[in-house]
């Protein structure tokens, strides 16, 4: 037996995969920048899924944890185990491209631990040499020719006059992270609109399939992996991606049973994918009800949104996010760009203890803005637009109805801001042309703002070693900087480090950490 095994080992050393598989792997490597180790692992995984004898031999290894699987691959492929770990990390190319995934949470046989892009992927890549794009066959399809024109969507013209310039800017500058949610009842023309938008841009349109070649549904997790692959495969082509039935991913958790959706279970991963992807994507859904509000936001370039509003001078925006992130400040800036007055109303200005008086105040606010030609900004809009399904009093419903009536008839620019997006009446979301999330500062934004304020305060230039300190402040907002600058008037800040310490104190208060008070 030892001699037979030794002879087999010697023969294996000179073995090679089939020409179609070898050539297709080479094309994939060039397309998504796979390393040599990546290619070896991918080849083996494909053969494991395609060769029953190899699968049976792999089953003799028993049920494998991820650690044991990494060791097994190291021995089988004669590669350093550290290289296997690196290649199969969630941040490496194989995972980011969607070509190969690892079930890290459960023990399985070797074949089931290594998941390929799709069920038919192994057959397609080994059968004949082909364009890498064809390897997505059955999971990504070319959109059908359009049957409608832009003129057929005059009823949403105000939204399109913002959306089209934004898409043109995104495609011209190759900006990453462009996601547009189109939602409405079935048959209202969402799919046709994606075709129209692609034609207007001169781009190809591909759809992430919801069914396989046999007509069986593809689950949300599998569709997400295919979507991720499209971002690698089409990164250098003029392409739009349409993801129909987005509720497969964002609303498949049966929330009434307390189950989270596929997207909610992978929220951090989803956000990274959405924000970093190079190919603009149009997400289509029949409803936004049940979708986590954290995903319903427009991380759009506000300057280009503003350019659209300046041109059409009408629009309805919902700005939401934590306090201090700049929602009201953006309203002021936009009013300046439009060269019109800003009318700001808060809940305390409009709410009344008398029945019918609040509705009257809301109507008067819109009338005043109309007469003055002002941009109307209503802060704490959640006070007026709470979900009517949870209403206990008749006036709560009439308050929502009055606000919606006034919004529909207002011809100017209206901005609603809230810290509590999840409390809004679901039907009101359809009334807003854009929902824009104002979030905490990213580390690079916080650093840029720190450098700017140090210059304004005549402080020294922040040293690079301070970056790690600012990076730890996850809940930092422009409002925190503003508060610290006001403190500077009576408690001078003398260095960049002192400015960061003051910002840390502001964040600590928000995060509920106790701070000492007294004299030192």
């Amino acid at each position: 037996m030892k001699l037979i095994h030794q002879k087999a080992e010697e023969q294996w050393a000179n073995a090679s995969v089939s020409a179609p598989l070898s050539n297709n792997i080479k094309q994939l490597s060039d397309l998504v920048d796979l390393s040599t180790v990546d290619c070896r692992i991918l080849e083996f995984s494909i053969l494991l899924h395609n060769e029953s004898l190899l699968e049976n031999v792999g089953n003799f290894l028993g049920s494998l944890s991820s650690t044991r699987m990494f060791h097994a691959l190291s021995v089988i492929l004669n590669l350093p185990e550290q290289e296997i770990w690196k290649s199969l990390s969630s941040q490496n190319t194989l995972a980011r491209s969607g070509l190969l995934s690892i079930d890290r949470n459960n023990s399985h046989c070797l074949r089931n631990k290594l998941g390929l892009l799709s069920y038919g992927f192994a057959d397609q890549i080994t059968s004949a040499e082909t364009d890498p794009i064809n390897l997505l066959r059955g999971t990504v399809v070319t959109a059908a020719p359009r049957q409608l024109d832009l003129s057929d969507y005059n009823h949403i013209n105000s939204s399109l006059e913002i959306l089209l310039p934004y898409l043109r800017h995104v495609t011209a500058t190759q900006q990453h992270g462009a996601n547009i949610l189109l939602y409405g009842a079935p048959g209202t023309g969402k799919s046709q609109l994606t075709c129209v938008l692609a034609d207007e841009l001169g781009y190809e349109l591909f759809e992430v399939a919801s069914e396989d070649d046999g007509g069986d549904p593809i689950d949300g997790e599998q569709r997400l992996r295919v979507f991720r692959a499209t971002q690698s495969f089409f990164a250098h082509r003029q392409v739009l991606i349409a993801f129909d039935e987005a509720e497969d991913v964002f609303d498949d958790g049966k929330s009434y049973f307390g189950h989270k959706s596929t997207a909610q279970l992978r929220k951090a991963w989803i956000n990274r994918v959405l924000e970093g992807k190079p190919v603009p994507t149009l997400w289509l859904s029949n409803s936004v009800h049940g979708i986590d509000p954290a995903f319903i936001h427009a991380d759009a370039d506000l300057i280009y949104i503003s350019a659209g509003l300046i041109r059409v001078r009408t629009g309805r925006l919902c700005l939401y996010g934590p306090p201090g992130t700049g929602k009201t400040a953006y309203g002021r800036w936009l009013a300046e760009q439009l060269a019109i007055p800003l009318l700001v109303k808060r809940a305390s200005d409009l709410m009344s203890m008398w029945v019918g008086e609040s509705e009257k105040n809301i109507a008067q606010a819109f009338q005043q803005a109309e007469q003055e030609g002002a941009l109307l900004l209503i802060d704490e809009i959640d006070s007026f637009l709470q979900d009517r399904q949870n209403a206990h009093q008749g006036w709560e419903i009439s308050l929502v109805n009055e606000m919606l009536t006034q919004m529909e008839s207002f011809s100017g620019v209206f901005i609603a801001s809230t810290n509590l997006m999840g409390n809004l009446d679901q039907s009101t979301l359809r009334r807003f042309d854009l929902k824009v999330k104002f979030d905490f500062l990213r580390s690079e934004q916080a650093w840029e703002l720190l450098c700017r304020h140090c210059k304004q305060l005549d402080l020294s230039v922040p040293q690079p070693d301070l970056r790690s300190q600012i990076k730890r402040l996850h809940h930092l907002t422009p409002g925190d900087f503003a508060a610290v600058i006001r403190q500077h008037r009576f408690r001078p800040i003398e260095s960049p480090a002192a400015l960061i310490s003051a910002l840390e104190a502001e964040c600590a208060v928000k995060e509920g950490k106790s701070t000492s008070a007294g004299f030192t």
Side-chain angles (χ1 to χ4, degrees):
M1 287 295 291
K2 288 184 178 180
L3 291 174
I4 294 173
H5 180 265
Q6 183 179 353
K7 185 176 181 181
E9 288 287 314
E10 292 172 355
Q11 290 177 338
W12 177 86
N14 298 319
S16 61
V17 299
S18 66
L21 176 57
S22 177
N23 292 334
N24 286 331
I25 291 288
K26 175 65 169 62
Q27 290 190 76
L28 281 177
S29 176
D30 294 339
L31 182 65
V32 301
D33 195 23
L34 296 176
S35 70
T36 302
V37 176
D38 294 338
C39 291
R40 291 281 307 282
I41 294 174
L42 183 58
E43 282 178 353
F44 176 74
S45 301
I46 290 166
L47 293 172
L48 191 62
H49 280 255
N50 212 45
E51 301 289 343
S52 58
L53 182 59
L54 184 59
E55 178 187 353
N56 291 337
V57 172
N59 289 342
F60 283 116
L61 297 174
S63 185
L64 301 174
S65 65
S66 295
T67 301
R68 290 183 61 199
M69 181 202 67
F70 292 143
H71 177 69
L73 288 176
S74 172
V75 174
I76 294 169
L77 300 177
N78 194 26
L79 293 169
E81 192 166 335
Q82 186 177 1
E83 291 295 313
I84 300 290
W85 278 84
K86 179 181 177 182
S87 186
L88 294 179
S89 75
S90 59
Q91 300 303 313
N92 205 44
T93 309
L94 282 175
R96 286 190 291 104
S97 65
L99 288 169
L100 192 66
S101 65
I102 307 299
D103 185 345
R104 301 176 186 277
N105 299 321
N106 302 290
S107 293
H108 290 296
C109 66
L110 185 57
R111 180 186 186 276
N112 291 344
K113 287 290 288 185
L114 298 165
L116 295 176
L117 174 61
S118 66
Y119 297 116
F121 182 75
D123 287 335
Q124 292 168 5
I125 199 169
T126 55
S127 59
E129 185 174 348
T130 184
D131 186 306
I133 304 303
N134 293 333
L135 298 175
L136 297 174
R137 188 173 69 249
T139 56
V140 175
V141 296
T142 305
R146 72 175 186 180
Q147 299 174 339
L148 298 177
D149 295 313
L150 197 60
S151 59
D152 294 308
Y153 292 91
N154 286 335
H155 56 292
I156 56 169
N157 194 52
S158 60
S159 297
L160 292 177
E161 287 185 323
I162 296 172
L163 177 58
L164 268 171
Y166 170 67
L167 281 174
R168 290 191 178 104
H169 165 67
V170 164
T171 53
T173 60
Q174 298 183 343
Q175 179 177 313
H176 287 201
N179 298 283
I180 293 92
L181 174 63
L182 305 177
Y183 63 95
T188 50
K190 301 185 295 296
S191 297
Q192 279 295 303
L193 180 57
T194 64
C195 298
V196 170
L197 292 172
D199 280 358
E200 288 292 319
L201 296 170
Y203 269 43
E204 297 177 90
L205 178 65
F206 289 89
E207 300 176 358
V208 176
S210 57
E211 298 179 348
D212 61 22
D213 289 337
D216 294 321
I218 303 174
D219 64 39
E221 185 170 354
Q222 182 69 26
R223 296 187 73 199
L224 269 182
R225 287 181 53 200
V226 171
F227 165 72
R228 199 173 192 179
T230 64
Q231 300 303 308
S232 296
F233 280 44
F234 295 118
H236 303 295
R237 290 177 60 168
Q238 294 185 329
V239 165
L240 293 184
I241 298 296
F243 196 113
D244 202 357
E245 300 180 24
E247 52 268 35
D248 284 357
V249 171
F250 295 102
D251 188 24
D252 63 343
K254 297 180 176 61
S255 57
Y256 44 87
F257 289 132
H259 300 161
K260 292 184 177 181
S261 68
T262 298
Q264 287 174 316
L265 290 171
R266 299 160 180 79
K267 184 175 287 188
W269 180 84
I270 286 283
N271 284 331
R272 286 197 301 272
V273 172
L274 295 182
E275 292 169 3
K277 64 182 189 55
V279 184
T281 303
L282 302 161
W283 301 84
L284 281 62
S285 177
N286 294 333
S287 172
V288 293
H289 184 72
I291 298 180
D292 188 334
F295 294 118
I296 309 175
H297 67 272
D299 270 339
D301 189 325
L302 289 175
I303 294 177
Y304 279 83
I305 290 175
S306 305
L309 290 171
I310 291 169
R311 185 175 62 258
V312 300
R313 308 190 75 79
T314 182
R316 297 186 291 265
L317 275 65
C318 178
L319 313 182
Y320 70 99
T325 48
K327 300 182 292 295
T328 303
Y330 174 71
R332 292 196 187 97
W333 177 84
L334 181 58
E336 291 177 1
Q337 302 306 304
L338 291 166
I340 59 176
L342 173 67
L343 179 61
V344 178
K345 296 290 183 179
R346 295 177 176 82
S348 58
D349 301 322
L350 302 176
M351 296 293 284
S352 171
M353 61 183 292
W354 307 109
V355 175
E357 194 69 21
S358 297
E359 290 88 335
K360 182 179 178 181
N361 292 340
I362 291 171
Q364 288 177 345
F366 278 92
Q367 290 169 9
Q368 180 183 351
E370 196 83 63
Q371 293 168 358
E372 297 178 2
L375 185 156
L376 175 60
L377 189 155
I378 297 184
D379 198 7
E380 302 168 357
I381 195 69
D382 47 280
S383 300
F384 309 101
L385 295 180
Q386 293 189 15
D387 196 330
R388 285 171 287 188
Q389 293 182 355
N390 300 325
H392 299 291
Q393 304 293 334
W395 62 265
E396 294 177 295
I397 296 176
S398 64
L399 201 61
V400 174
N401 292 338
E402 180 63 32
M403 178 64 75
L404 295 180
T405 299
Q406 295 298 330
M407 284 172 56
E408 291 284 357
S409 60
F410 186 59
S411 61
V413 177
F414 170 60
I415 294 179
S417 67
T418 177
N419 303 330
L420 304 169
M421 183 69 161
N423 293 352
L424 291 187
D425 185 271
Q426 289 292 322
S427 65
T428 65
L429 293 174
R430 293 194 300 271
R431 306 308 205 280
F432 290 103
D433 300 321
L434 284 173
K435 280 74 66 176
V436 184
K437 184 178 183 181
F438 283 62
D439 212 340
F440 297 112
L441 293 170
R442 297 191 297 272
S443 59
E444 63 271 18
Q445 293 173 322
W447 179 257
E448 182 178 345
L449 208 51
L450 175 72
C451 294
R452 187 183 305 174
H453 282 298
C454 285
K455 184 176 182 180
Q456 291 175 351
L457 298 175
D458 291 326
L459 303 179
S460 60
V461 177
Q463 295 302 304
D465 61 328
L466 293 177
R467 275 185 179 271
S468 59
Q469 289 181 245
I470 203 80
K471 192 174 182 178
R472 289 198 296 268
L473 302 181
H474 302 297
H475 294 156
L476 196 60
T477 69
D480 296 325
F481 278 93
V484 169
I485 298 307
R486 290 195 300 270
Q487 295 169 19
H488 175 71
R489 295 175 300 174
F490 52 84
R491 190 174 65 180
I493 296 170
E494 298 179 349
S495 68
L499 178 54
I500 292 178
S501 296
L503 292 170
E504 288 175 338
E506 289 296 317
C507 288
V509 171
K510 289 187 295 185
E511 295 167 12
K513 298 178 182 177
S514 60
T515 55
S516 60
F519 297 96
T520 58

